[in-house]
Amino acid sequence: MKVWPGQPYPLGAVFDGAGTNFSLFSEIAERVELCLFNDEGQETCIDLPEVTGYCWHGYLPSIEPGQRYGYRVHGPWDPANGHRCNPAKLLLDPYAKAMDGQVQWNEAVFPYLFNEGSQARSDSDSAPFMPKCVVHQPHFDWSGDRRLQLPWHETIIYETHVKGLTALHPEVPAELRGTYAGLAQPAVIEYLKTLGVTAVELMPVHYFIHDKQLVDQGLKNYWGYNSIGYLAPQNDYAADKRPGGVMAEFKQMVKTLHQAGMEVILDVVYNHTAEGNDLGPMLSFKGIDNAYYYRLTDDPQYYMDYTGTGNSLNMRNPHVLQLIMDSLRYWVLEMHVDGFRFDLASTLARELHEVDKLSAFFDIIQQDPVISQVKLIAEPWDVGEGGYQVGNFPPVWTEWNGKYRDCVRDFWRGEHQTLGKFAARFTGSSDLYENTSRLPYASINFITAHDGFTLHDLVSYNEKHNQANGEENRDGESHNRSWNCGVEGPTEDPDVRRLRNRQQRNFLTTLLLSQGVPMLLGGDELGRTQQGNNNAYCQDNEISWYDWENIDETLLGFCQQLIRLRKDHPVFRRRGWFHGRPIHGSEVHDISWFTMEGEKMAEEDWEQGYVKSLGVFLNGATIPNPNPRGEPVIDDNVYMIFNADHEALNFILPGADYGTHWVKELDTEKESLEEQESLKAGDQIKVEPRSLVVLRQAS
């Protein structure tokens, strides 16, 4: 087969209309074979003829999109010094844009002999058991599609799973359920639009594998935090099973969501790969240049593990950084996604050992003209020492606010804590973000996420129930800050059920009316349960899938009402901080806090840990930032009353300076408001146990 010298860049397999250029980076390689596979799986190996700056490359004029391929890298096998080259193992291209198939677990996929240990090289051919890379077709009709660039303060995120969302959806054709095409179906798009969310955050869609230990138990890596291909969409979610067909299907999903006014955010896993530790398989990086791609310990046969998965990518090396940046730019420029949520982002900040927020990774992000302009969300922790970094990321970043989650959970389950903590979280966590010149929308507020209880389960279980995971209930978080309302699990007790429903409404109301960016766990608005499983990472079944036949219509309607309330009132989504200062010389501040007696909170009131109730006045006339046309933003004044006590309390409304007439917009004691109750300044209002009331000043 004819092979021309080709070019070292771009890396990967690039079809130019006449042929395909292949390029692979490896400092340690002594020889690199490009392996081509036909439809019957027959292999043809060709030496890449040129090496430029450690990039092995060649151009094949006869190769077109749909061609399956992989690599074999010849070099030192010296595990004791961190080198694991093994040409018997077919390797995936780190820059592959599409994949065909999944790993078939066989001992040949591992680079060593099981019965002799990780330093004994295995010469068994892994190709029959390995997925194959696919030369992709780059052309797609985007028809004027573009990133929506919705402002952060107007964003409402819906975290969901491509498969779980539609696997059981009755209005999605059976052959499309659980796929990108299924998510783009009219019934699903209309549901998301009616709900009112503005961004869909997809759990990992980078190509990942299902761990051997899970497959051996009849399970799968359902969540997908096991990436091995950073530029390829997961092919399990493609209805189009042709080699490379996943590309167009993913792009069409993004285009359809954009047409409906919704952004697409990807949950990305750049902190580790699916190759695990020294006992893991050889799939790609480990065989290409192990010591370059991975963080190794002082004993280089072993891997640094800041992620709990066996390895950590080495962000100190330029080609590793380049791979991540090339991947991010590709998903923005070619796949048109609108942002990223970075799993265990503290790992990316580790230059040597400590987390350094000015590490090379963040410097590169900051100056990149493409990536710096999309939505960037950090999960600001990892499992290593010093890894909890909430509030410490650079200004261009937003963060999952774990402190918000913990504080709000504790407040509504009645734990003793100072009201000051709750007030700080409700108003955007200025203590975490203001000193780095960030604004309230730096805080991605959430009560629940994929990792942990669903909202239904948060109010139904005190303990995790993860027996289905096959780990004797040892896995998953044991301290969930949950409360079962008196009975563990399902119950027919009407009082317990009413309390649970009210608690769900309390959490949703707090979340959607807090300053910052709300993130709703997909299915929480439907009453979705995982039967007490708080770590359903391996449950690709009804435990995780949305049950569209048994949804909580009342809760759904309440959530829709809340989202409309947030959108209708800019006082709930300010771009600037509250300062508690009087405006234009009046006695009325932009925000004021009140006791149940209608008096302003004094310093000693904030420190009473046993007090579980307060009122807050939000001034709609003091919103500091103008609209996009430079015009002042004026909204109604709002008064909110929080009662997390186990007893009903009588609250007195503030004096006339704060508003003479009020109407009740929302009361979590009720499933919905059929008529708006009117009240006057100084009136007494009874607020039921564990409930929240929202009043709007009448005009």
Side-chain angles (χ1 to χ4, degrees):
M1 187 175 291
K2 187 179 293 186
V3 184
W4 300 351
Q7 301 294 328
Y9 288 96
L11 290 160
V14 179
F15 175 68
D16 63 7
T20 301
N21 189 82
F22 293 88
S23 181
L24 178 75
F25 167 80
S26 175
E27 276 192 5
I28 198 68
E30 298 164 357
R31 174 186 165 206
V32 172
E33 293 180 277
L34 170 67
C35 306
L36 304 176
F37 295 84
N38 64 16
D39 290 345
E40 287 71 44
Q42 294 176 318
E43 179 179 358
T44 301
C45 291
I46 303 158
D47 277 19
L48 291 179
E50 299 286 329
V51 188
T52 307
Y54 300 113
C55 293
W56 299 73
H57 54 93
Y59 180 91
L60 279 68
S62 58
I63 299 302
E64 298 181 343
Q67 173 65 56
R68 300 174 180 88
Y69 74 98
Y71 290 106
R72 297 182 188 272
V73 173
H74 299 254
W77 171 264
D78 185 8
N81 289 303
H83 305 307
R84 297 177 182 272
C85 295
N86 187 340
K89 310 307 173 183
L90 186 75
L91 305 175
L92 299 174
D93 179 1
Y95 278 80
K97 308 298 195 304
M99 302 287 190
D100 184 45
Q102 268 282 345
V103 173
Q104 306 301 310
W105 289 111
N106 183 281
E107 185 174 346
V109 175
F110 294 79
Y112 61 91
L113 298 170
F114 281 6
N115 60 353
E116 295 186 32
S118 63
Q119 298 206 28
R121 194 176 91 164
S122 163
D123 292 323
S124 299
D125 183 9
S126 70
F129 311 102
M130 281 288 292
K132 310 300 186 291
C133 306
V134 179
V135 177
H136 79 295
Q137 169 57 262
H139 305 298
F140 180 79
D141 180 12
W142 284 105
S143 300
D145 179 81
R146 59 182 176 82
R147 288 192 297 112
L148 299 179
Q149 295 183 295
L150 298 176
W152 264 123
H153 69 287
E154 295 180 5
T155 298
I156 300 172
I157 298 173
Y158 190 79
E159 188 199 27
T160 191
H161 188 283
V162 171
K163 182 174 184 180
L165 179 63
T166 65
L168 299 174
H169 201 297
E171 295 181 62
V172 174
E175 67 275 12
L176 300 182
R177 292 174 188 166
T179 68
Y180 305 117
L183 196 154
Q185 284 293 290
V188 180
I189 297 295
E190 184 58 29
Y191 172 78
L192 295 171
K193 284 180 63 178
T194 302
L195 180 59
V197 296
T198 69
V200 176
E201 182 179 305
L202 299 177
M203 291 177 65
V205 297
H206 285 170
Y207 181 78
F208 63 87
I209 67 165
H210 300 285
D211 318 55
K212 182 179 185 300
Q213 64 269 29
L214 294 178
V215 173
D216 289 347
Q217 297 177 69
L219 301 170
K220 289 184 178 180
N221 192 318
Y222 173 71
W223 284 355
Y225 292 92
N226 206 30
S227 301
I228 197 64
Y230 291 125
L231 286 87
Q234 177 67 2
N235 56 9
D236 284 353
Y237 304 148
D240 186 343
K241 299 301 182 185
R242 295 172 298 177
V246 63
M247 301 292 294
E249 186 175 330
F250 184 92
K251 291 176 180 179
Q252 186 60 51
M253 176 196 69
V254 173
K255 180 179 176 181
T256 303
L257 284 163
H258 282 178
Q259 289 171 339
M262 284 175 280
E263 295 183 313
V264 178
I265 298 171
L266 301 187
D267 193 337
V268 291
V269 189
Y270 293 116
N271 50 73
H272 74 279
T273 78
E275 291 186 298
N277 59 19
D278 58 302
L279 299 176
M282 179 173 283
L283 308 171
S284 181
F285 307 97
K286 189 178 285 186
I288 294 171
D289 199 332
N290 182 68
Y292 190 95
Y293 278 105
Y294 291 117
R295 297 285 299 271
L296 305 180
T297 66
D298 292 339
D299 182 350
Q301 66 180 307
Y302 300 115
Y303 296 78
M304 295 293 292
D305 182 12
Y306 295 116
T307 64
T309 60
N311 65 53
S312 303
L313 280 175
N314 193 346
M315 298 299 160
R316 293 176 294 177
N317 286 336
H319 277 86
V320 179
L321 286 169
Q322 180 186 358
L323 169 63
I324 294 173
M325 293 304 296
D326 286 348
S327 167
L328 291 168
R329 275 191 294 269
Y330 175 79
W331 286 96
V332 173
L333 297 176
E334 299 297 327
M335 307 297 265
H336 287 210
V337 304
D338 304 277
F340 305 94
R341 178 265 187 189
F342 291 77
D343 179 65
L344 300 181
S346 293
T347 301
L348 306 177
R350 291 184 183 273
E351 282 284 316
L352 297 173
H353 177 72
E354 294 81 8
V355 175
D356 177 7
K357 67 180 177 182
L358 298 179
S359 71
F361 175 71
F362 295 113
D363 291 344
I364 292 172
I365 290 281
Q366 182 74 41
Q367 62 79 44
D368 188 275
V370 174
I371 307 307
S372 65
Q373 299 306 302
V374 303
K375 288 182 164 69
L376 301 174
I377 306 170
E379 182 185 32
W381 49 76
D382 65 19
V383 301
E385 182 182 353
Y388 191 78
Q389 293 291 316
V390 173
N392 290 331
F393 277 69
V396 74
W397 290 76
T398 66
E399 301 176 17
W400 269 26
N401 190 343
K403 292 187 177 181
Y404 177 96
R405 172 200 59 203
D406 296 346
C407 178
V408 174
R409 287 188 179 191
D410 280 346
F411 179 80
W412 283 115
R413 71 189 180 116
E415 286 294 295
H416 285 5
Q417 63 175 346
T418 62
L419 293 176
K421 290 182 179 179
F422 177 76
R425 302 299 156 245
F426 178 73
T427 55
S429 297
S430 61
D431 58 322
L432 299 178
Y433 304 115
E434 189 174 15
N435 63 353
T436 54
S437 299
R438 287 188 282 178
L439 296 171
Y441 51 74
S443 178
I444 305 298
N445 299 329
F446 67 105
I447 306 294
T448 53
H450 67 272
D451 187 1
F453 283 141
T454 66
L455 183 61
H456 174 280
D457 292 356
L458 184 69
V459 301
S460 303
Y461 295 92
N462 284 351
E463 308 295 336
K464 62 186 180 182
H465 296 268
N466 298 353
Q467 288 81 3
N469 297 352
E471 299 179 45
E472 298 180 345
N473 207 36
R474 294 190 303 269
D475 62 304
E477 176 62 57
S478 296
H479 182 46
N480 294 281
R481 292 182 160 90
S482 61
W483 179 46
N484 63 18
C485 299
V487 177
E488 186 75 356
T491 181
E492 295 302 318
D493 186 314
D495 292 333
V496 173
R497 291 167 68 95
R498 278 194 294 270
L499 177 55
R500 288 177 178 178
N501 290 338
R502 189 162 69 250
Q503 286 286 75
Q504 290 182 79
R505 294 192 291 270
N506 289 334
F507 281 123
L508 289 173
T509 304
T510 306
L511 173 66
L512 285 160
L513 301 187
S514 291
Q515 304 298 319
V517 179
M519 185 188 79
L520 181 67
L521 172 61
D524 275 357
E525 77 283 6
L526 305 173
R528 184 172 76 89
T529 178
Q530 292 179 170
Q531 302 164 32
N533 193 321
N534 75 349
N535 189 36
Y537 76 103
C538 57
Q539 299 298 327
D540 187 4
N541 51 48
E542 288 82 357
I543 290 176
S544 299
W545 302 341
Y546 297 18
D547 181 2
W548 292 97
E549 297 293 341
N550 296 290
I551 66 177
D552 186 335
E553 295 281 3
T554 302
L555 184 62
L556 173 58
F558 184 86
C559 191
Q560 291 169 331
Q561 178 186 4
L562 270 174
I563 291 176
R564 285 196 300 271
L565 187 62
R566 180 181 179 87
K567 289 184 171 182
D568 288 345
H569 292 284
V571 74
F572 296 124
R573 42 187 173 84
R574 293 165 50 109
R575 285 182 287 156
W577 297 106
F578 288 109
H579 293 291
R581 293 197 297 259
I583 307 299
H584 304 307
S586 75
E587 291 300 316
V588 179
H589 298 63
D590 58 354
I591 186 171
S592 295
W593 300 90
F594 293 88
T595 66
M596 58 184 292
E597 291 82 15
E599 301 294 333
K600 279 193 174 183
M601 297 272 286
E603 193 63 36
E604 58 270 19
D605 295 323
W606 289 111
E607 300 305 319
Q608 303 301 322
Y610 61 87
V611 177
K612 303 177 179 64
S613 62
L614 77 168
V616 58
F617 168 82
L618 307 179
N619 194 331
T622 61
I623 297 172
N625 303 99
N627 68 18
R629 297 182 179 181
E631 301 162 339
V633 177
I634 305 297
D635 194 13
D636 298 325
N637 295 335
V638 170
Y639 191 72
M640 299 178 65
I641 303 172
F642 299 86
N643 180 20
D645 201 282
H646 65 282
E647 293 182 349
L649 297 176
N650 291 316
F651 285 77
I652 297 174
L653 298 184
D657 287 346
Y658 293 89
T660 56
H661 293 84
W662 298 91
V663 291
K664 186 185 288 188
E665 281 283 343
L666 183 148
D667 186 343
T668 59
E669 166 63 17
K670 301 178 175 61
E671 294 179 341
S672 64
L673 283 179
E674 298 178 359
E675 59 182 49
Q676 294 183 326
E677 180 183 348
S678 296
L679 299 110
K680 300 190 298 294
D683 278 357
Q684 182 173 282
I685 177 174
K686 183 179 180 181
V687 181
E688 297 298 330
R690 295 191 175 92
S691 62
L692 189 166
V693 170
V694 179
L695 305 175
R696 177 178 55 83
Q697 185 176 347
S699 46

